[in-house]
Amino acid sequence: MKEIVLSGIRSTGNLHLGNYYGALRKFVNIQDDYDCNFFIADLHALTTSTDPAALHASVKSVLAEYLAAGIDPEKATIFIQSDIPEISEMYLLLNMHVGIGELMRTASFKDKARKALGIATGDSQADDSEEAFEREIIGASTNKRVNAGLLTYPTLMAVDILIQKATKVPVGKDQLQHLELTRRFARRFNSFYGVDLFPEPTDFDFGGAPVKVPGLDGSGKMGKSEGNCIYLTDDPKVLRKKVMRATTDEGPQAPNSPMSEPVANLFTLLELTSTPEVVTHFRDAYADCSIRYGDLKKQLAEDILAVTTPIRERVSDILANEDYLRRVVRDGAERARARASETLKEVRHIMGIRPL
């Protein structure tokens, strides 16, 4: 039997170049060797997205982008998280074995909770002590609130993994703590009931170094919330304008100068999308101080378009074929539910929820 791989992407907008190089392209390469399960995390999206129309449209667009990037529904199971009702029930049951304190201590919850309350990290009021943080969440004198789904996000993520009994889970650096919680919850459940039901999943790096795709704003990685993305569906005019506005510096002042972070980020994008000859040309130009950033950006935009244009065109064709989209998610849900229902049946029996 093939090892089970599981990964999900929140349906909070279109996918970008970081999603493609960091995940999608790698997913395509492992479809023949693993039991791959790729889902659209619309339940997770509800923790921060409240517009029903936008959520529905995003689910559809992410599904089309999965397919356009090369994920094959004949080889991999592609499904929408909310199409698997067993996930929601097991989410409830697993929460009975999860402590509020361990959830409140997760870094992502603290960050997102402060963002929801409008408290910037580093404020004098935003003390990292547990007592102060609890006062912020529970006793804040504001109309803003932190929803309970945000707090129990790690439980839902754990259920996504455990209900499929996945053993390999590709996650980003910001999700490693959640994956460790998943292992902890699996051990706790197995130990509490004296069973060997859940395997402990590990991070899956695809056998190579992780790919960090930088944003266009000069620092950090590409991300939707940072507003520094190149989307797979950006039309050529929009994409070129984004690249031409990318942050740079005044240029090298002496031969073989070290690169600033914004310029190094542009070269990282160039290395991902361009030929070695193009990269060498601009590296040499930087080294001898003859580089013109405008020329670099024009070349980078065209090379990125060579990657994204075929995907954008396939997305358009796929979105026009609604019967195909419905068939993909129907077949994917059927396969995902088969394993999920078996796992849930075992969990209910182990916990004592049985027919009279």
Side-chain angles (χ1 to χ4, degrees):
M1 294 179 64
K2 296 179 180 179
E3 282 195 87
I4 300 170
V5 176
L6 181 128
S7 182
I9 293 180
R10 293 173 70 224
S11 50
T12 53
N14 294 104
L15 304 183
H16 53 72
L17 210 61
N19 298 131
Y20 178 69
Y21 281 104
L24 292 178
R25 197 169 67 159
K26 295 180 177 181
F27 292 169
V28 172
N29 292 335
I30 64 170
Q31 293 179 106
D32 292 318
D33 301 320
Y34 294 89
D35 179 346
C36 292
N37 299 263
F38 303 125
F39 69 96
I40 300 163
D42 56 340
L43 297 179
H44 282 296
L46 289 172
T47 60
T48 55
S49 177
T50 56
D51 183 332
L55 177 66
H56 179 73
S58 184
V59 168
K60 190 175 178 180
S61 65
V62 172
L63 172 61
E65 288 161 2
Y66 264 172
L67 298 167
I71 297 178
D72 186 347
E74 298 298 322
K75 297 179 178 180
T77 298
I78 305 171
F79 63 96
I80 299 169
Q81 188 183 28
S82 61
D83 282 347
I84 316 301
E86 290 82 2
I87 290 175
S88 297
E89 182 175 347
M90 189 166 145
Y91 173 44
L92 168 68
L93 297 177
L94 188 62
N95 264 325
M96 305 307 173
H97 292 278
V98 175
I100 292 175
E102 61 190 341
L103 295 176
M104 289 188 69
R105 285 191 292 271
T106 59
S108 62
F109 173 67
K110 290 182 179 182
D111 291 343
K112 290 178 180 178
R114 289 196 172 110
K115 185 178 290 185
L117 294 173
I119 303 171
T121 303
D123 283 359
S124 58
Q125 297 176 348
D127 196 309
D128 275 334
S129 73
E130 295 305 318
E131 184 179 347
F133 182 61
E134 186 174 317
R135 285 199 303 271
E136 293 170 19
I137 299 299
I138 299 174
S141 55
T142 175
N143 291 327
K144 298 176 180 178
R145 62 181 175 82
V146 178
N147 68 59
L150 193 60
L151 177 66
T152 57
Y153 187 108
T155 311
L156 182 55
M157 177 173 164
V159 169
D160 291 328
I161 298 165
L162 298 178
I163 204 166
Q164 296 295 333
K165 297 187 178 178
T167 55
K168 292 189 178 295
V169 183
V171 294
K173 186 177 179 181
D174 57 341
Q175 295 288 317
L176 284 173
Q177 187 179 24
H178 290 170
L179 186 59
E180 179 53 43
L181 284 174
T182 299
R183 288 193 286 268
R184 183 191 302 176
F185 299 159
R187 287 194 299 271
R188 182 179 298 162
F189 187 95
N190 289 344
S191 175
F192 186 87
Y193 292 106
V195 296
D196 187 25
L197 179 63
F198 296 127
E200 292 186 33
T202 58
D203 182 22
F204 187 31
D205 62 5
F206 303 96
V211 177
K212 179 183 177 182
V213 181
L216 298 174
D217 56 354
S219 64
K221 69 176 185 178
M222 189 171 288
K224 298 173 190 174
S225 58
E226 288 78 11
N228 60 7
C229 293
I230 294 172
Y231 292 105
L232 299 179
T233 54
D234 278 342
D235 68 51
K237 184 177 180 180
V238 169
L239 191 149
R240 290 189 181 103
K241 186 178 292 186
K242 284 183 177 181
V243 174
M244 294 307 292
R245 289 178 176 173
T247 304
T248 53
D249 58 22
E250 71 280 5
Q253 304 302 302
N256 300 309
S257 299
M259 290 183 187
S260 64
E261 185 177 3
V263 174
N265 285 348
L266 288 182
F267 272 94
T268 297
L269 290 171
L270 200 69
E271 288 168 351
L272 286 171
T273 58
S274 304
T275 65
E277 292 77 18
V278 167
V279 176
T280 298
H281 167 75
F282 283 105
R283 283 200 176 277
D284 290 345
Y286 185 89
D288 66 18
C289 300
S290 65
I291 192 166
R292 296 172 57 174
Y293 289 144
D295 293 340
L296 169 64
K297 290 177 179 180
K298 287 176 184 176
Q299 180 69 52
L300 178 59
E302 296 312 308
D303 291 338
I304 293 173
L305 279 169
V307 174
T308 61
T309 296
I311 296 174
R312 186 183 72 252
E313 291 173 350
R314 286 196 294 269
V315 167
S316 180
D317 291 340
I318 290 168
L319 285 174
N321 191 344
E322 297 207 352
D323 288 341
Y324 174 62
L325 288 173
R326 280 192 286 267
R327 185 167 68 252
V328 167
V329 294
R330 184 187 65 233
D331 293 347
E334 186 177 318
R335 294 201 296 269
R337 287 196 69 183
R339 189 151 48 205
S341 62
E342 276 301 311
T343 303
L344 179 61
K345 188 186 302 180
E346 291 176 287
V347 168
R348 287 173 61 94
H349 182 81
I350 288 166
M351 292 182 68
I353 304 172
R354 307 167 189 165
L356 294 177

